[in-house]
Every structure is written in C-alpha cells, then in structure tokens.
Amino acid sequence: METLRPAFAGRPRPLISYGLSFAAAAAQHVKQTFQASRVYVICSRSLARSTDTLAQLQQSLGADTVVGVRKGMQSHTLWSEVLEIVHDARRAQADLLLTVGGGSLTDGAKVVALALANDVTTEADLHKLSVGPDQSPTITAPRIPIISIPTSLSAGEYSNFAGATNDTTRRKHSFQAPLQGPQLVILDPDLARSTPDHIWLSTGVRAVDHCVETAVAIQNTSEHTDALALQALGRLVPGLLRCKADHSDRDAYLQCQLGSVDAMAACTTGAVAVQLGASHGIGHQLGPLGVGHGETSCILLPAVCKFNARHNANTARQARVRDFLLAQPVVAELLRRRSVDVSAADLGDLLDAVIRELGMPRSLHDVHVGRDKLDGLAANSLHDRWCQSNPVPLKEKEQVLEILEMVV
C-alpha cells in the first residue's frame, strides 16, 4: 500500500511516496498527478548498465511516454552535460523530467528545468542564471515538473537550490530561486539496496551533516529546527550502522531514507532557512576536485566541529548533539567497542568514530587530494555562502587552511 504525503509539514510540495515499487509509483503519478505524456528520463549510468531499473521504468511508463533518456552524469553536475540535456529535452518537447539515481542527477534536472524556462543555449546563458554579480535581474520560474527516484541519501531532492560546476574553472556555482526542486520524490528501499555501500553510506553521512550543521548552527535556528535535526539523527545514525551490518535489512534502508527527509526539513523549515556551515561550504568546492558529495562530509564534518569548538563558537549546541548521540545504544556500543574515552570525547570525536565504523574516508589523502590543491581549494571556499555563515565566519584563506590541515 502506498503512503503519499507532503515531505514537510505545512508545505504542499514536494510529496513523498513509499510503499509501491518505484516503477509502479512513477507510472501512476506521471499520469494521475502531473497529467504528463512526454517524459525525459535521466538515469544513473551504473543502474542503466548493471541493473534492469531503466527497463522496468520504461516498461511501466510505456514506450510512447518516454521521449528521451540520458544515461549518467558526472559528479557535481557539469555545465556542459546540463546543456546537452537541455538541448535534448527541448528537441523532445518533454513535459516532465524524471531522475533515478544520485544527487548530481537531481541537481542536473533542477538546473535543466530552469534553463529550459529561460531559453538557455550556451554556457554564458547558464552563467546568468547562477548566483553572483552577473546574475540576470529577471529569471523565469521552471514550468516542467520533476519526479525524483533517489538511490542515495544526499537529499538534494528536497531543496529548491542546486549546484553545478563550470567545466573550465572547476568552480561550483549555486542556482537558487526561482529554481524549483522535484514535486514528487519516490522512495523504494528495495531499489536503494542495489546502491553500492560507498555511495549509500557516504551520502548517508551527508544527510548526517545536514542534521549536525543545523543543530549546531547559530543563525535562524529554533526549537523546532533543533528537534527536527535530532529526530533525523535518531533515524540516520542507527540506520546507517544497521545497513553496514546487514544489506538485507530493508527497514534500515527505509529509516535512512525517511531520516534524510527529516534532515532536509530541519535545514529548510522557517521563513528564513537555517544557515549551515563550513563542512557544506568547503565541501562544495572540494567536490569538483573529484570527491563524491558524501565523501566531502565524511572528511570535513568532524574537523569543522572541532574548529568551531576550538574557537568557542557553539560549544553548548555541540554538547547537546554529543549527548543525544551518546544516548543512542548503537552509538554507545560502538564507542565501547572502539575504546573511545567518552568522558574526553567531543562531538567531532563521536562523528569520527561513526564515520570510521562505516568504513568511509577520513582524510584528503584517502581521496587522492594532495597539498598542492589546498591553496586553490581554500580560495574557492571563501566564495561559498555557507563558509560565511559558519559559526566562525570564514573570511580569510588561513581559516580554511586551518581546517584543511586537520584532514590532510
């Protein structure tokens, strides 16, 4: 039986659907919810190559309904690939975009929909839609809806902003209002179990990053956002550890998916959203160096927590999250097994232990980023809004380098 509800209380969109297979849910909602007849599918390359996911989707939707297919996009959503899809979808006269796969595809679809509404044909046109001094003063809102079937936990499906990377400069640019996220997100834990561990677990840490940077933030927070962030952590951390231990634990996968929804509710609820911090900010610029979305959080989040604590920016808020995690039996057992001195451990230490237990990378060396990249990475990070809204605002390159030195 299908559960269909708004992802976030008080907001009619996006909807989330779970309980049906992804293919059945997609076929139902394409016709009934969106009255669409010309669907352009953006599918993960690995799913298209190694599974029958795309075939199931095409069979359920019908050959006449699927008017175009894109198999794969590179991580961090390259402008060149966005433009390829824009031209293809325009030729196909698509009236709905459907993504099945990870966060880069979802960001790609968001930017594609915005580009289609604004008659974009070149990189220069796309540049004028991105946040910055050259942004056009008048941007038309997207007209084509998006359905997303995620196979990772980055949770970009629930936001009305996107990042995409200029191929030439390798700088990631932000696209915001009037850009719109998917109107419907279909959750299928059975499909999620086909996701390789390194993607599922690392993007799960990305969702944990959403929770932690919301819960320790010092701008635009409330008791409600704090409660949502802790609720999400209570689903995600035990769920991820269960997924790591047992791939057949279907409920663990669903709990992680629902936790990622709660995480995005926490950081997007309120008239003005909670301002996140440097783990996200530096991570946006680390990604284009060849590091996956989730891996950036695995490497940076504990270090950013330690940096902020070292500068006495949010120690009480960090202590609250630390105590919440210590109260989770699975975390307490993990720390005991790893011989972590709980009396001396701070939030960064707890997060480090969880991430190591999941087998995720913990240093730039682990992801083949050398010292020669640090200066450029630090300089690019200063442009990111979430470095500026970090509890210790990052205004100087030396501050970013202080964090990076912890994870070299």
Side-chain angles (χ1 to χ4, degrees):
M1 181 181 296
E2 181 187 32
T3 297
L4 181 68
R5 63 171 175 85
F8 310 131
R11 284 182 270 173
R13 293 289 190 274
L15 297 169
I16 60 171
S17 165
Y18 54 96
L20 296 178
S21 73
F22 71 92
Q28 174 177 304
H29 290 290
V30 162
K31 291 182 171 59
Q32 295 180 12
T33 304
F34 299 102
Q35 293 81 51
S37 60
R38 302 185 65 80
V39 177
Y40 189 96
V41 177
I42 308 172
C43 181
S44 154
R45 183 178 289 109
S46 61
L47 285 174
R49 183 180 61 241
S50 305
T51 75
D52 66 349
T53 299
L54 181 57
Q56 286 187 57
L57 202 54
Q58 289 174 308
Q59 182 175 1
S60 291
L61 292 174
D64 293 340
T65 301
V66 178
V67 296
V69 174
R70 168 78 183 208
K71 296 179 183 178
M73 295 183 72
Q74 292 188 48
S75 295
H76 304 288
T77 315
L78 299 182
W79 284 14
S80 59
E81 296 191 331
V82 167
L83 289 171
E84 289 170 4
I85 297 172
V86 166
H87 299 319
D88 203 17
R90 184 180 288 132
R91 283 192 297 268
Q93 299 181 315
D95 62 3
L96 185 143
L97 303 175
L98 189 153
T99 71
V100 53
S104 294
L105 305 184
T106 308
D107 272 9
K110 294 181 203 177
V111 180
V112 166
L114 185 67
L116 286 169
N118 289 275
D119 300 320
V120 164
T121 60
T122 66
E123 283 196 2
D125 295 336
L126 196 57
H127 181 72
K128 292 177 183 177
L129 300 183
S130 68
V131 174
D134 300 323
Q135 186 176 31
S136 172
T138 55
I139 300 176
T140 301
R143 303 185 186 96
I144 295 180
I146 302 168
I147 294 176
S148 182
I149 306 171
T151 57
S152 72
L153 293 165
S154 294
E157 302 80 28
Y158 305 102
S159 71
N160 290 324
F161 53 84
T165 302
N166 183 307
D167 300 58
T168 303
T169 65
R170 304 305 295 179
R171 179 179 161 190
K172 199 166 193 176
H173 292 254
S174 179
F175 295 80
Q176 298 181 33
L179 177 142
Q180 296 173 4
Q183 299 294 293
L184 172 67
V185 182
I186 297 170
L187 306 178
D188 185 336
D190 291 316
L191 177 63
R193 288 191 294 138
S194 69
T195 303
D197 259 8
H198 72 278
I199 295 174
W200 183 256
L201 298 175
S202 67
T203 58
V205 176
R206 183 68 165 179
V208 168
D209 198 349
H210 299 332
C211 302
V212 171
E213 289 217 313
T214 296
V216 304
I218 58 175
Q219 295 185 48
N220 305 331
T221 62
S222 67
E223 289 186 7
H224 183 51
T225 59
D226 288 351
L228 284 170
L230 294 181
Q231 175 179 300
L233 275 178
R235 288 184 188 269
L236 281 163
V237 173
L240 290 169
L241 292 169
R242 286 169 57 193
C243 290
K244 173 68 173 176
D246 182 3
H247 282 205
S248 68
D249 190 342
R250 185 180 187 276
D251 181 66
Y253 281 84
L254 180 60
Q255 291 306 311
C256 288
Q257 290 180 312
L258 295 175
S260 74
V261 180
D262 293 341
M264 287 303 293
C267 62
T268 60
T269 291
V272 181
V274 175
Q275 297 301 293
L276 301 181
S279 179
H280 281 75
I282 300 171
H284 288 158
Q285 305 308 323
L286 175 58
L289 298 181
V291 185
H293 280 100
E295 290 177 332
T296 67
S297 293
C298 294
I299 294 164
L300 290 166
L301 180 59
V304 169
C305 288
K306 284 187 168 291
F307 172 85
N308 288 327
R310 181 184 298 167
H311 293 275
N312 299 311
N314 57 359
T315 49
R317 292 182 66 78
Q318 286 204 35
R320 182 185 182 191
V321 179
R322 171 191 178 275
D323 292 346
F324 177 83
L325 288 175
L326 284 175
Q328 306 299 311
V330 67
V331 175
E333 168 58 23
L334 163 64
L335 298 175
R336 185 198 61 76
R337 193 170 64 252
R338 285 185 164 266
S339 301
V340 174
D341 181 357
V342 172
S343 65
D346 61 15
L347 177 58
D349 295 324
L350 265 60
L351 293 168
D352 172 72
V354 169
I355 295 167
R356 289 183 187 279
E357 180 72 10
L358 295 174
M360 294 295 103
R362 286 291 298 116
S363 73
L364 295 176
H365 175 78
D366 290 342
V367 293
H368 313 294
V369 174
R371 281 191 173 276
D372 59 313
K373 302 293 185 184
L374 297 194
D375 197 70
L377 173 57
N380 281 342
S381 296
L382 294 178
H383 296 286
D384 195 284
R385 64 187 177 116
W386 280 334
C387 283
Q388 297 164 27
S389 64
N390 189 59
V392 179
L394 302 185
K395 299 179 179 178
E396 306 292 338
K397 190 164 63 173
E398 288 70 27
Q399 293 174 294
V400 183
L401 289 170
E402 182 180 337
I403 294 169
L404 295 177
E405 283 293 340
M406 297 187 219
V407 296
V408 169

